[in-house]
C-alpha cells in the first residue's frame, strides 16, 4: 500500500540513500557469498528489496529509488569486479526487473498489503515476475559474464540468472513489503514474538545442520520446522522462514557444503539449479499453506467481527430482537426487553405466549405459523403485557431464519417496536374524525354509522329503537346577547347534562350548531325515550352559570320510535324532526313523539 503523505526533499533523499546502502549490501552479499561457477549469483536479494520498496511507496518517488538502486549495484560491481561495460549492463538488468514487477502489480492491485487479495495479488505478481526475470535474464545472458573462469553456455547463464532473480523477487519482495507495511508487527504479535523468534531459530538451526552435511536424503528435515512456523504464525512466519532457508542453503552451497555438492558427474551449473529448485519447492510448498491458514484466520476474524457487529446492533437496539429456534426455544433476546417490557432476559427466555393479550394471541400464532411454513416475512401488531401489569402495543416484524445445526428446523426472528404512542395517536385521530371537537360527543359521521348499525340490528331482532332530535330553545338569542364564547360554554354544559340523562348503552351526538340527537337502541321498556327526554328537561331547570352570567336554558325534543323504517336513516330523522317541530309548536321546553308500525 503506497503512502499518500508527501515527503519533503530531505526525507526523500535520506530514504533514497538508505535504500542505496541496503541494495549495495545485498548486492555485495549475493556476489561474494552466492556466486556460482558461471559467475552469476544463485540468489539475488537486491531486486526483491527494491521491488518491495517501490510497491509500498508513491509512484512519484520511484525514479529516485531506481536511480539510487542502480548506482548502488554499479558501485558494488566496480568495487568487486572493476569498471566494465558488463557491470553497467548487469546493474541495469538488476534494476529493470524490479521496476517491471512493481509497475505491473501496482497497475492491477490497489493494496498489496491487503491479505484478502492474496490470491489475486499472487497471480499478478508471479506472471509479472516471470516476465521481468525473463527480460533481465536475456539482457544479462547476452552480455555474458566476464567474471566466469570458463566460457559459459547461454542457456546456463540464463537459467542461473532467471532462477536467482525469481527466488529473490518472490521471497524478499514479500519480506520487504511486510516490513514496510507492518513495521514491528512483522516480529509477530506482542505476546507471540518470543515464540516466533524461537521457531525461526529452530528453522535456522535445522537448515544449517542439513546443509552442513552431504546426505541428500535428510533435506526433508527442513520442512517440519518450516511448516510449524507457517501454521503457528501464518505470513509472519512464512516470509522470514523461507528467507532464512534461502540464505543459509545458498551460502552453504556456495561454500562447497551441503547435499547438492555430492555426486560424480554433476556440474556446477546442475548443482546451482538443484539448489534453486530446492528453494523454489520450499517456497511453493509453504506459500499455499500460509495463504490457506491466513485466509482461514481472516475468515474467522471477519465472522467474529460480523457477529460482534450484529450483536452490537441487536444489544443496543431500542427494538426488542428475539430468535426463537425450533421447539419454541429462545436462543437470543436483546437487552431492550427490560426497558420495553420490564422483564429480564432470563424471565423472557421461557415461552411466554401468555404475555400476549388474549384478543391478539390467535392472530399472532397464525402469523408466526405462516412465516415458519412459507418463509414469507410478515408484520403483526399486538399487545404484550408489561411486568407492571399494563399492556404495551408492539409491532412485530417476523422473519424465518435457517436452523443453526445441520438438519435443524428453521427458526423465527422477530424485531418488536413499541407503537403505543402511535396507536394512541391513531385512536386520537380516529376519535377526532368521529367526535365533535367542542362537546366531545359523536359527530354526524359517527352518528350515521351508529344509526345504520342500529337499524340493521332492529330489523333482525324486532326490537324497537328511538331517535331523540333536540335543540336549545332560542339559542341564537343567547349568541347574539352574550356572545359566541358564552354560547359555546352553554353547548358544552348542555352536552354534559345530556350525557348524564341517557343510559350507558345510548349514543349522543351533535349534528351541528345547537342540534343534538340521542340514539336509543334495543328498547325494552316502552317509555325509555320519554324518560330520557323528561330527565334532560328536568336537568335544565338548574341555570347554566358561565362566568358572571346565569342563564335559563330549555330544550325542545322530537322523538321517533318504532321497529320498521323502510326509508332507513332518513326516514327516522324526518320523523324525529317532525316531532321536534310539533314540540316547538306546543310551546317549547317539552317533547313530542311519533311512532312507526309494521304498516308505515
Amino acid at each position: 500500500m503506497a503512502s499518500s503523505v508527501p515527503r519533503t526533499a530531505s526525507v526523500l533523499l535520506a530514504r533514497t540513500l538508505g535504500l542505496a546502502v541496503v541494495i549495495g549490501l545485498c548486492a555485495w552479499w549475493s556476489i561474494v557469498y552466492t556466486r556460482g561457477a558461471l559467475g552469476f549469483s544463485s540468489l539475488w536479494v537486491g531486486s526483491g528489496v527494491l521491488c518491495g520498496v517501490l510497491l509500498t511507496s508513491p509512484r512519484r518517488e520511484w525514479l529516485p529509488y531506481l536511480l539510487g538502486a542502480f548506482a548502488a549495484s554499479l558501485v558494488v560491481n566496480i568495487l568487486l569486479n572493476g569498471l566494465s561495460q558488463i557491470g553497467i549492463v548487469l546493474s541495469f538488468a538488476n534494476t529493470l526487473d524490479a521496476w517491471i514487477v512493481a509497475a505491473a502489480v501496482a497497475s492491477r492491485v490497489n493494496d498489496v498489503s491487503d491479505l484478502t487479495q492474496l490470491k489475486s495479488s499472487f497471480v499478478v505478481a508471479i506472471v509479472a515476475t516471470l516476465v521481468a526475470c525473463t527480460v533481465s535474464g536475456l539482457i544479462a545472458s547476452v552480455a555474458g559474464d566476464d567474471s566466469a573462469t570458463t566460457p559459459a553456455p547461454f542457456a546456463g547463464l540464463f537459467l542461473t540468472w532467471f532462477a536467482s532473480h525469481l527466488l529473490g523477487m518472490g521471497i524478499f519482495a514479500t519480506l520487504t513489503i511486510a516490513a514496510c507495511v507492518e513495521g514491528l508487527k512483522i516480529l509477530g504479535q506482542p505476546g507471540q514474538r518470543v515464540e516466533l523468534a524461537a521457531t525461526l531459530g529452530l528453522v535456522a538451526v535445522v537448515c544449517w545442520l542439513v546443509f552442513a552435511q552431504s546426505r541428500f536424503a535428510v533435506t526433508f528435515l527442513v520442512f517440519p520446522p518450516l511448516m510449524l512456523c507457517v501454521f503457528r504464525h501464518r505470513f509472519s512466519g512464512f516470509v522470514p522462514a523461507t528467507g532464512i532457508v534461502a540464505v543459509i542453503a545458498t551460502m552453504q552451497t556456495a561454500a562447497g557444503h551441503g547435499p547438492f555438492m555430492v555426486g560424480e558427474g554433476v556440474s556446477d551449473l546442475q548443482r546451482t539449479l538443484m539448489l534453486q529448485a530446492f528453494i523454489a519447492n520450499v517456497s511453493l510448498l509453504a506459500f499455499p499453506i500460509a495463504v490457506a491458514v491466513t485466509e482461514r484466520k481472516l475468515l474467522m476474524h471477519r465472522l467474529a467481527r460480523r457477529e460482534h457487529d450484529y450483536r452490537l446492533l441487536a444489544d443496543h437496539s431500542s427494538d426488542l430482537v428475539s430468535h426463537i429456534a425450533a421447539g419454541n426455544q429462545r436462543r437470543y433476546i436483546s437487552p431492550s426487553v427490560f426497558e420495553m417490557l420490564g422483564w429480564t432476559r432470563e424471565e423472557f427466555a421461557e415461552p411466554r405466549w401468555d404475555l400476549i393479550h388474549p384478543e391478539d394471541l390467535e392472530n399472532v400464532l397464525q402469523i408466526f405459523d405462516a412465516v415458519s411454513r412459507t418463509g414469507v416475512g410478515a408484520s403483526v401488531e399486538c399487545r404484550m403485557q408489561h411486568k407492571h401489569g399494563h399492556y404495551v402495543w408492539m409491532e412485530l416484524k417476523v422473519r424465518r431464519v435457517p436452523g443453526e445445526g445441520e438438519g435443524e428446523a428453521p427458526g423465527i426472528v422477530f424485531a418488536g417496536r413499541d407503537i403505543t404512542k402511535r396507536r394512541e395517536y391513531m385512536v386520537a385521530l380516529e376519535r377526532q374524525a368521529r367526535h365533535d371537537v367542542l362537546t366531545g360527543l359523536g359527530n354526524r359521521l359517527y352518528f350515521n354509522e351508529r344509526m345504520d348499525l342500529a337499524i340493521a340490528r332492529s330489523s333482525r331482532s324486532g326490537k324497537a329503537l328511538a331517535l331523540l332530535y333536540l335543540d336549545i330553545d332560542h339559542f341564537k338569542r343567547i349568541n347574539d346577547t352574550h356572545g359566541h364564547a358564552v354560547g359555546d360554554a352553554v353547548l358544552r354544559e348542555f352536552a354534559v347534562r345530556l350525557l348524564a340523562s341517557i343510559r350507558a348503552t345510548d349514543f349522543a351526538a351533535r349534528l351541528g350548531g345547537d342540534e343534538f340527537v340521542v340514539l336509543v337502541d334495543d328498547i325494552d321498556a316502552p317509555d325509555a325515550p320519554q324518560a330520557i327526554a323528561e330527565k334532560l328537561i328536568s336537568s335544565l331547570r338548574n341555570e347554566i352559570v358561565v362566568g358572571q352570567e346565569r342563564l335559563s336554558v330549555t330544550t325542545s325534543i322530537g322523538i321517533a320510535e318504532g321497529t320498521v323504517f323502510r326509508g332507513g336513516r332518513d326516514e327516522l330523522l324526518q320523523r324525529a324532526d317532525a316531532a321536534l317541530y310539533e314540540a316547538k309548536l306546543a310551546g317549547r321546553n317539552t317533547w313530542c313523539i311519533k311512532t312507526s308500525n309494521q304498516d308505515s
Side-chain angles (χ1 to χ4, degrees):
M1 178 178 60
S3 172
S4 60
V5 180
R7 309 188 203 278
T8 62
S10 59
V11 173
L12 181 58
L13 177 60
R15 288 175 61 87
T16 302
L17 292 175
L19 175 63
V21 171
V22 173
I23 296 296
L25 292 173
C26 291
W28 175 81
W29 178 85
S30 295
I31 294 173
V32 172
Y33 289 101
T34 70
R35 191 197 301 246
L38 300 182
F40 283 168
S41 299
S42 302
L43 180 65
W44 190 261
V45 177
S47 296
V49 174
L50 176 59
C51 181
V53 171
L54 294 178
L55 286 173
T56 53
S57 302
R59 287 207 176 197
R60 59 180 173 273
E61 298 179 2
W62 283 20
L63 182 58
Y65 295 155
L66 290 169
L67 293 175
F70 170 76
S73 181
L74 180 59
V75 168
V76 171
N77 267 292
I78 293 173
L79 292 174
L80 296 177
N81 302 315
L83 179 60
S84 63
Q85 181 179 354
I86 193 171
I88 299 174
V89 174
L90 295 181
S91 298
F92 171 75
N94 289 332
T95 308
L96 176 65
D97 54 13
W99 174 80
I100 292 175
V101 175
V105 174
S107 65
R108 296 297 184 91
V109 181
N110 294 327
D111 187 357
V112 295
S113 68
D114 185 0
L115 294 180
T116 61
Q117 302 184 53
L118 274 175
K119 291 183 178 178
S120 60
S121 300
F122 175 73
V123 172
V124 174
I126 196 64
V127 172
T129 302
L130 290 172
V131 172
C133 293
T134 300
V135 172
S136 65
L138 290 173
I139 295 174
S141 300
V142 169
D145 188 0
D146 290 341
S147 64
T149 57
T150 58
F154 177 86
L157 289 173
F158 174 78
L159 288 175
T160 303
W161 177 284
F162 178 83
S164 171
H165 282 246
L166 183 67
L167 294 174
M169 196 78 70
I171 297 173
F172 293 95
T174 307
L175 181 60
T176 303
I177 291 172
C180 291
V181 172
E182 299 294 329
L184 290 177
K185 290 183 180 179
I186 195 175
L187 301 177
Q189 298 298 322
Q192 297 180 336
R193 290 177 181 174
V194 174
E195 180 186 350
L196 175 59
T199 311
L200 292 175
L202 177 63
V203 172
V205 170
V206 172
C207 187
W208 186 270
L209 292 175
V210 167
F211 279 85
Q213 53 82 51
S214 59
R215 285 173 295 177
F216 184 80
V218 298
T219 53
F220 78 91
L221 292 176
V222 173
F223 291 99
L226 177 66
M227 292 300 102
L228 173 64
C229 195
V230 172
F231 277 113
R232 290 293 299 169
H233 304 284
R234 299 174 297 282
F235 258 85
S236 295
F238 163 75
V239 175
T242 51
I244 288 172
V245 171
V247 168
I248 293 177
T250 304
M251 290 181 66
Q252 288 284 74
T253 302
H257 307 297
F260 302 118
M261 300 307 297
V262 298
E264 296 182 0
V266 179
S267 66
D268 290 338
L269 173 60
Q270 291 173 327
R271 291 189 176 96
T272 300
L273 294 178
M274 290 171 61
L275 168 67
Q276 293 172 331
F278 169 76
I279 297 173
N281 285 328
V282 168
S283 301
L284 291 176
L285 176 64
F287 180 79
I289 296 176
V291 171
V293 174
T294 301
E295 287 186 338
R296 181 176 179 274
K297 183 70 174 180
L298 290 173
L299 177 61
M300 293 176 62
H301 175 74
R302 285 197 295 267
L303 289 175
R305 182 65 185 177
R306 186 174 298 176
E307 181 180 358
H308 174 266
D309 291 342
Y310 287 156
R311 182 60 65 95
L312 186 68
L313 291 174
D315 284 353
H316 293 82
S317 172
S318 58
D319 293 349
L320 168 59
V321 181
S322 180
H323 174 204
I324 304 177
N328 204 24
Q329 298 178 2
R330 299 200 177 185
R331 296 281 178 83
Y332 174 79
I333 301 167
S334 60
S336 57
V337 66
F338 181 77
E339 181 180 353
M340 190 175 294
L341 296 173
W343 302 98
T344 65
R345 299 168 76 174
E346 292 73 19
E347 292 171 331
F348 202 74
E350 298 296 327
R352 299 302 304 269
W353 298 111
D354 59 302
L355 296 182
I356 298 178
H357 196 283
E359 296 177 2
D360 305 329
L361 179 58
E362 182 178 357
N363 185 40
V364 171
L365 292 176
Q366 289 176 351
I367 293 293
F368 273 59
D369 180 64
V371 172
S372 181
R373 285 186 292 101
T374 65
V376 180
S379 298
V380 60
E381 295 183 2
C382 65
R383 287 159 288 183
M384 299 186 74
Q385 189 176 32
H386 195 279
K387 190 173 184 179
H388 293 162
H390 63 278
Y391 281 93
V392 177
W393 272 102
M394 303 281 291
E395 180 186 39
L396 307 182
K397 293 190 178 296
V398 190
R399 297 289 185 272
R400 187 175 75 179
V401 295
E404 294 183 358
E406 184 177 355
E408 183 177 345
I412 291 291
V413 168
F414 72 81
R417 178 170 299 179
D418 185 346
I419 59 169
T420 303
K421 291 184 178 179
R422 189 177 80 185
R423 293 283 303 197
E424 291 174 349
Y425 180 68
M426 291 174 61
V427 170
L429 285 179
E430 184 176 353
R431 176 178 176 78
Q432 187 175 354
R434 286 175 166 76
H435 289 78
D436 176 54
V437 177
L438 180 64
T439 63
L441 301 179
N443 60 14
R444 185 178 292 274
L445 172 64
Y446 200 6
F447 165 71
N448 290 340
E449 294 174 353
R450 291 290 296 266
M451 176 64 77
D452 292 340
L453 291 174
I455 293 175
R457 283 196 301 270
S458 178
S459 299
R460 290 192 302 269
S461 66
K463 290 185 178 182
L465 62 85
L467 176 66
L468 281 66
Y469 200 165
L470 54 152
D471 62 15
I472 299 174
D473 296 332
H474 306 298
F475 181 72
K476 184 176 183 301
R477 186 185 304 168
I478 296 175
N479 268 340
D480 293 342
T481 303
H482 302 282
H484 288 282
V486 173
D488 289 346
V490 170
L491 291 174
R492 285 193 292 268
E493 179 60 24
F494 184 84
V496 171
R497 299 190 186 187
L498 175 60
L499 287 175
S501 303
I502 63 178
R503 303 174 304 175
T505 56
D506 299 333
F507 173 74
R510 179 190 176 208
L511 302 185
D514 65 323
E515 298 180 29
F516 294 82
V517 290
V518 175
L519 179 61
V520 183
D521 198 4
D522 292 335
I523 298 176
D524 294 323
D527 58 347
Q530 298 92 321
I532 293 173
E534 289 288 353
K535 189 174 182 180
L536 176 60
I537 291 173
S538 176
S539 70
L540 289 174
R541 292 189 181 121
N542 296 324
E543 295 178 325
I544 295 178
V545 180
V546 182
Q548 301 297 323
E549 304 289 341
R550 302 180 68 87
L551 304 175
S552 294
V553 177
T554 60
T555 182
S556 299
I557 305 172
I559 305 172
E561 182 182 2
T563 56
V564 178
F565 297 94
R566 294 189 176 91
R569 182 203 321 148
D570 293 337
E571 179 184 344
L572 194 57
L573 280 169
Q574 289 172 2
R575 288 180 178 276
D577 185 54
L580 173 61
Y581 180 73
E582 292 183 6
K584 290 183 178 181
L585 289 178
R588 302 180 187 275
N589 193 26
T590 188
W591 55 270
C592 183
I593 186 170
K594 285 186 174 293
T595 62
S596 67
N597 51 46
Q598 297 293 336
D599 298 325
S600 57

